[in-house]
Amino acid sequence: MAEISAKLVKELREQTGAGMMDCKKALKENDGDINKATEWLRQKGIASAGKLEGKVAAEGLVESYIHTGGRIGVLVEVNCQTDFVARNEAFKELVKNVAMQIAACPQVEYVSVDDVPTEFVESEKSIEMGREDLSNKPENIREKIVQGRIEKRLKELTLMDQPFIRDQNKTVAELIKETSAQLGEKVKVRRFIRFVLGEGIEVKESNFAEEVAAQTGQK
């Protein structure tokens, strides 16, 4: 496989407007051929979507999803740039799919890694650095291992890094980029909340026979 230089990644970014990691992946998938990488990004709907990143998305929809049985409910806000796109069927379908995705991922707490509080990251790092299985390893090796573990942990908690429930070959982030390219507008998941029936309620276990005995004065 051809070595992918930072200069080549930068050149592809300037040509397509795609993100750095997307450009690097495209070049790796195409052995460093920038033309093939550009075509690969366009096929994925990433090239044109990257150019929309600086746009302001203030329109959109708030969607609800109640899972069968009524035990899980989701509210999600997905933004786009215009009310016209907000009424588009492709956008509506995306929002519904995102709401279902959130319901299906109970471990997800944040939209993206950028939303995870610094305090949480530092706390997780401190815990991992203290693991017994790393105690005999050199400091620099420990740092690399811990960094890998933290990155994995954060991806587990973020919506954008989840495999899309209807197509495990793409992530939710890739789904958003593809839809953004299709619609020609910036699309962004802003926030969500998940309701789980009974969550947070402390249920006191009791013995019915003992309760009856106590009420009737029996022992």
Side-chain angles (χ1 to χ4, degrees):
M1 180 180 292
E3 183 178 351
I4 308 303
S5 67
K7 181 179 179 181
L8 196 60
V9 173
K10 181 181 178 182
E11 184 179 347
L12 184 58
R13 285 192 70 187
E14 291 174 349
Q15 285 187 19
T16 64
M20 181 181 70
M21 296 307 296
D22 288 324
C23 288
K24 192 172 183 180
K25 183 177 180 180
L27 288 164
K28 283 184 176 180
E29 291 287 334
N30 294 279
D31 296 321
D33 188 312
I34 196 165
N35 292 324
K36 289 182 179 179
T38 300
E39 185 62 27
W40 186 89
L41 288 169
R42 286 175 178 165
Q43 288 174 350
K44 296 289 184 180
I46 295 173
S48 56
K51 297 179 180 180
L52 300 170
E53 285 301 310
K55 303 294 184 180
V56 177
E59 295 293 336
L61 292 173
V62 173
E63 180 66 50
S64 64
Y65 171 74
I66 307 299
H67 191 60
T68 304
R71 302 188 67 85
I72 299 175
V74 168
L75 279 176
V76 61
E77 178 182 347
V78 182
N79 297 132
C80 56
Q81 292 174 242
T82 66
D83 184 56
F84 175 77
V85 164
R87 297 193 302 270
N88 183 283
E89 290 302 319
F91 182 78
K92 291 180 180 179
E93 181 181 359
L94 169 71
V95 180
K96 289 179 180 178
N97 283 332
V98 170
M100 291 178 65
Q101 179 83 37
I102 295 166
C105 299
Q107 79 283 6
V108 167
E109 299 180 26
Y110 307 96
V111 173
S112 69
V113 172
D114 293 337
D115 298 322
V116 181
T118 303
E119 297 79 9
F120 176 83
V121 177
E122 292 301 319
S123 175
E124 289 292 301
K125 183 177 181 179
S126 177
I127 292 171
E128 291 297 334
M129 288 293 286
R131 298 284 187 190
E132 289 186 8
D133 63 332
L134 300 180
S135 60
N136 296 324
K137 297 186 182 297
E139 184 70 19
N140 63 323
I141 300 299
R142 288 171 62 198
E143 286 281 354
K144 288 182 179 179
I145 294 175
V146 167
Q147 184 62 32
R149 290 180 179 179
I150 295 298
E151 289 178 359
K152 181 180 178 183
R153 173 66 174 145
L154 295 184
K155 286 183 178 181
E156 291 173 349
L157 294 172
T158 54
L159 177 65
M160 291 296 102
D161 289 294
Q162 302 304 306
F164 180 38
I165 53 175
R166 293 189 169 178
D167 183 353
Q168 298 286 305
N169 293 318
K170 70 176 70 172
T171 64
V172 174
E174 289 171 334
L175 172 68
I176 297 294
K177 286 181 180 179
E178 289 177 6
T179 306
S180 181
Q182 176 187 348
L183 297 173
E185 285 196 8
K186 179 178 180 179
V187 175
K188 181 178 181 180
V189 179
R190 185 185 178 205
R191 53 185 172 175
F192 67 84
I193 185 169
R194 183 193 302 103
F195 298 90
V196 179
L197 184 66
E199 187 176 43
I201 299 175
E202 184 178 349
V203 180
K204 183 179 179 181
E205 294 185 2
S206 60
N207 186 301
F208 182 70
E210 290 179 357
E211 287 185 5
V212 172
Q215 290 174 8
T216 57
Q218 300 174 2
K219 292 184 178 180

